[in-house]
Amino acid sequence: MKKKNKLTVTSLVAVCLVTIAAPQVFAYSKIGYKLVAGVKDRYYYVGASSLGSNIDAAVSNWNNIDPLTYFWQDQTDVNFIKSSSNSTTQLDFYSDYYGNTGWAGMTYYFDSAGAINSGGYPTKDYTWCQAKLNLSASHNNSWTTIAGHEMGHALGLMHYTNSLMDGDITNGSNLPTGITLDDIDGIRDIY
Ligand SMILES: [Zn+2]
């Protein structure tokens, strides 16, 4: 009887260890395709836009993951440099009054042959992206947040709740407005 109890305790400990060691559920969602040239020292362009400072801030946020919030093992290779021409860029931002489209931001994917699955997620790796910010749209977040969200799409992330990639990001309340560890983990997984 005593021996049996000991066995039970051993089994319980084993179960606990297995539970602790169980793989974490990935708290992000990937498109499954990515920028061919990667994300390190790539180039972005801002077309004629009243949102230039928001866009620059959004890119800067991706480039500079706060080392005081996230440790060295939570940094990414993302570094996009601003270019005055869109001829060799990987990410171009535009803003305009695109009308009552139902979206505040939209990302389009291209390769050398042109648009990939225009208006939807790409079906293969891509060489550059276009992120459009719709000045006609009503939203409850800053344009910096929305530009950062679109950049996340350009880098290969799909929507995921409680992160910068939350699909409800334009609705505002109680959503992260900056890059979260989930977003970082997703990018680290992709590149
Ligand atoms: Zn989105």
Side-chain angles (χ1 to χ4, degrees):
M1 191 64 191
K2 201 175 181 185
K3 194 178 180 186
K4 193 182 176 189
N5 278 346
K6 194 176 176 184
L7 264 176
T8 306
V9 169
T10 308
S11 302
L12 278 174
V13 169
V15 167
C16 287
L17 284 175
V18 166
T19 305
I20 291 165
Q24 231 184 326
V25 174
F26 293 119
Y28 52 82
S29 180
K30 298 184 290 181
I31 290 171
Y33 300 99
K34 62 183 180 178
L35 275 169
V36 171
V39 292
K40 191 172 185 182
D41 299 337
R42 299 296 91 204
Y43 293 90
Y44 77 101
Y45 168 81
V46 180
S49 172
S50 58
L51 303 177
S53 59
N54 299 95
I55 292 164
D56 289 343
V59 175
S60 177
N61 287 340
W62 273 111
N63 285 351
N64 305 289
I65 304 296
D66 182 6
L68 295 180
T69 305
Y70 302 107
F71 300 106
W72 64 269
Q73 69 268 34
D74 297 323
Q75 298 296 308
T76 74
D77 286 339
V78 174
N79 189 47
F80 276 71
I81 302 154
K82 194 170 187 177
S83 171
S84 57
S85 158
N86 64 356
S87 58
T88 57
T89 45
Q90 284 72 45
L91 177 54
D92 301 342
F93 289 94
Y94 296 94
S95 70
D96 206 339
Y97 291 89
Y98 296 110
N100 187 19
T101 56
W103 50 264
M106 183 73 80
T107 299
Y108 301 85
Y109 304 81
F110 301 83
D111 68 7
S112 56
I116 300 173
N117 195 21
S118 186
Y121 288 119
T123 48
K124 53 184 170 178
D125 287 347
Y126 43 95
T127 51
W128 65 282
C129 289
Q130 201 177 63
K132 291 183 175 178
L133 305 176
N134 186 4
L135 297 170
S136 307
S138 62
H139 58 86
N140 296 321
N141 253 315
S142 73
W143 282 114
T144 301
T145 295
I146 294 170
H149 174 97
E150 293 309 317
M151 184 165 173
H153 283 314
L155 301 182
L157 292 173
M158 289 175 75
H159 288 154
Y160 196 85
T161 54
N162 294 319
S163 73
L164 182 61
M165 298 315 297
D166 197 309
D168 288 332
I169 206 78
T170 57
N171 295 334
S173 62
N174 298 322
L175 294 170
T177 56
I179 296 164
T180 68
L181 185 57
D182 290 342
D183 303 303
I184 294 169
D185 287 345
I187 294 301
R188 287 172 60 89
D189 185 20
I190 295 169
Y191 296 96

